[in-house]
Amino acid sequence: MQNQTAETKTAQQRWTVAEIENLLKLPFADLMYRAQQVHREHFNPNAIQLSTLLSIKTGGCSEDCGYCTQSSFHAGVENKKMLDVDEVVKAAKAAKEAGAGRFCMGAAWREPSAEDMTAVLEMVKEVRALGMETCATLGMLNDEQTEQLKDAGLDYYNHNLDTSPEFYGNIISTRDYQDRLDTLERVRKAGMNICSGGIIGMGENLTQRAGLIAQLANMNPYPESVPINNLVKVEGTPLADTEDLDPLDFVRTIAAARITMPTAFVRLSAGRGEMSDAVQALCFLGGANSIFYGDQLLTTGNPDVDRDRALMDKLGMYPLVDSCC
Ligand code: SAM
Ligand code: DTB
Ligand code: SF4
């Protein structure tokens, strides 16, 4: 770990915010070297986990997340009804054929209703029966819902912390940081894998960026999957005019996630559409070993499959073959 700092570490804390801030400030080559060392201790650095996303319920969300196109608080995408189970299974089959190992179903909800859950549980069962890993991101969950999802065969639940507790109030007012931690605790208790990360480039400072990584890294155990999103700026959202993030600062954040969460899959998530191949390659060197794969994220674009296949070929990388289901 890094040098001693004035910040006191509690028994549960593996990393202080100051230690992570020191990582982010390392000379670039030193940071990348450390990230590569940790990465190679735990993973084949040339294998990449591929997850395909599908928005099963788009728009009309009652939350006010400042980055999101789906909030009914600001202009964005229209409110659509939930997809049918058959449409979801068809998309999952296509994702599997294209080479994805995991299928992630996303819904623009604060939390799912009992009626929503009936349909989602069916989707999870059917996607899992295809031999894919399953993931869902549906908002906050109660104990009954986490149990139901576990029983239906859900492998991962995605629920992001998004940013540090200190910066959170600048971005979202309709639910608390603690609500997010509580949902993650329930997911863990039900025995599912946690997928949790955040967004970089929302105007947070270095300490706040380190604060997000510290929250994730100090979870006990830390998430199995850590999506690091680069803010996708969309017209009509409150964060549309946020200053551009230096791509190397994004790479540094990926490396800090890798060093502090050595066995997690660190996902280079939203924002790849705006990134050059060179920046993406640096993210992989920094320890990213997972991407969203498919032409669409939820409401915004992603590099198309041909571009990603060409990138993987160019870098000598190949899809991780997992032994799921
Ligand atoms: N409604 C659910 C929730 O908020 O948990 C699930 C879907 S929500 C869209 C999932 C995550 O996508 C958010 O927590 C956020 O981290 C990420 N996200 C949404 N819009 C984004 C954007 N414009 N840029 C980067 N990440 C974004
Ligand atoms: C995550 O961390 N990123 C994904 C997934 N989990 C659900 C979502 C990215 C959304 C980007 C903006 C959009 O397409 O609406
Ligand atoms: Fe709703 Fe999720 Fe978007 Fe927030 S991030 S507005 S909860 S869909």
Side-chain angles (χ1 to χ4, degrees):
M1 276 196 201
Q2 290 291 290
N3 328 327
Q4 282 299 107
T5 64
E7 199 178 353
T8 328
K9 196 181 299 193
T10 66
Q12 297 81 26
Q13 259 183 324
R14 295 172 55 246
W15 288 88
T16 65
V17 174
E19 284 170 337
I20 296 172
E21 207 175 327
N22 284 341
L23 284 180
L24 293 171
K25 286 181 187 160
L26 279 174
F28 192 74
D30 294 346
L31 176 60
M32 297 301 271
Y33 182 62
R34 280 190 62 175
Q36 269 290 298
Q37 283 178 312
V38 173
H39 195 181
R40 283 166 185 266
E41 251 173 61
H42 299 280
F43 290 101
N44 169 351
N46 303 315
I48 184 157
Q49 191 277 326
L50 304 179
S51 289
T52 293
L53 258 179
L54 178 70
S55 182
I56 60 166
K57 164 67 188 82
T58 304
C61 185
S62 61
E63 301 290 294
D64 69 351
C65 313
Y67 48 76
C68 187
T69 58
Q70 307 199 70
S71 166
S72 47
F73 282 76
H74 38 261
V77 295
E78 60 176 294
N79 186 0
K80 296 193 190 142
K81 72 172 185 55
M82 194 182 349
L83 298 185
D84 294 331
V85 177
D86 288 353
E87 291 175 89
V88 175
V89 174
K90 195 171 153 206
K93 278 184 185 156
K96 187 180 179 191
E97 272 160 33
R102 189 179 307 163
F103 192 68
C104 180
M105 294 158 269
W109 293 322
R110 173 181 167 81
E111 68 231 319
S113 67
E115 196 189 330
D116 297 331
M117 282 301 288
T118 307
V120 170
L121 295 173
E122 195 52 39
M123 290 170 192
V124 171
K125 281 183 198 149
E126 296 218 15
V127 173
R128 193 130 201 292
L130 299 175
M132 298 184 88
E133 285 187 316
T134 52
C135 176
T137 181
L138 315 168
M140 295 187 286
L141 298 179
N142 61 33
D143 284 325
E144 189 191 357
Q145 290 168 329
T146 52
E147 291 297 335
Q148 289 173 327
L149 287 165
K150 170 71 182 163
D151 291 348
L154 191 72
D155 297 299
Y156 288 79
Y157 193 74
N158 167 248
H159 198 59
N160 289 342
L161 294 180
D162 277 351
T163 189
S164 69
E166 294 75 22
F167 191 64
Y168 185 85
N170 296 48
I171 307 294
I172 299 151
S173 76
T174 48
R175 77 177 130 168
D176 297 341
Y177 210 79
Q178 190 58 46
D179 293 330
R180 292 179 185 254
L181 294 170
D182 291 347
T183 290
L184 292 175
E185 187 61 42
R186 291 190 185 103
V187 170
R188 188 55 90 201
K189 206 172 72 189
M192 287 179 283
N193 293 304
I194 289 182
C195 173
S196 187
I199 309 179
I200 310 303
M202 297 195 290
E204 72 285 348
N205 63 29
L206 202 68
T207 311
Q208 291 160 340
R209 201 169 296 156
L212 165 68
I213 302 297
Q215 283 287 326
L216 296 165
N218 287 323
M219 285 170 67
N220 188 16
Y222 54 76
E224 284 74 18
S225 168
V226 179
I228 305 291
N229 297 276
N230 196 345
L231 175 68
V232 179
K233 294 181 221 175
V234 183
E235 191 96 23
T237 61
L239 296 188
D241 298 323
T242 310
E243 205 180 314
D244 278 341
L245 179 74
D246 183 326
L248 293 184
D249 288 336
F250 185 79
V251 176
R252 284 175 177 278
T253 313
I254 294 263
R258 164 55 62 224
I259 293 165
T260 56
M261 293 173 271
T263 61
F265 278 86
V266 175
R267 185 173 307 123
L268 163 54
S269 302
R272 285 198 308 120
E274 291 75 36
M275 268 175 217
S276 65
D277 285 358
V279 169
Q280 294 187 60
L282 284 175
C283 289
F284 299 135
L285 274 177
N289 58 352
S290 169
I291 54 171
F292 285 121
Y293 176 70
D295 305 354
Q296 183 82 5
L297 291 168
L298 291 174
T299 66
T300 66
N302 197 42
D304 61 36
V305 161
D306 288 345
R307 180 179 162 196
D308 276 342
R309 285 193 178 137
L311 178 62
M312 284 190 269
D313 277 354
K314 201 156 46 167
L315 300 176
M317 297 180 86
Y318 37 82
L320 177 82
V321 181
D322 38 40
S323 52
C324 144
C325 325

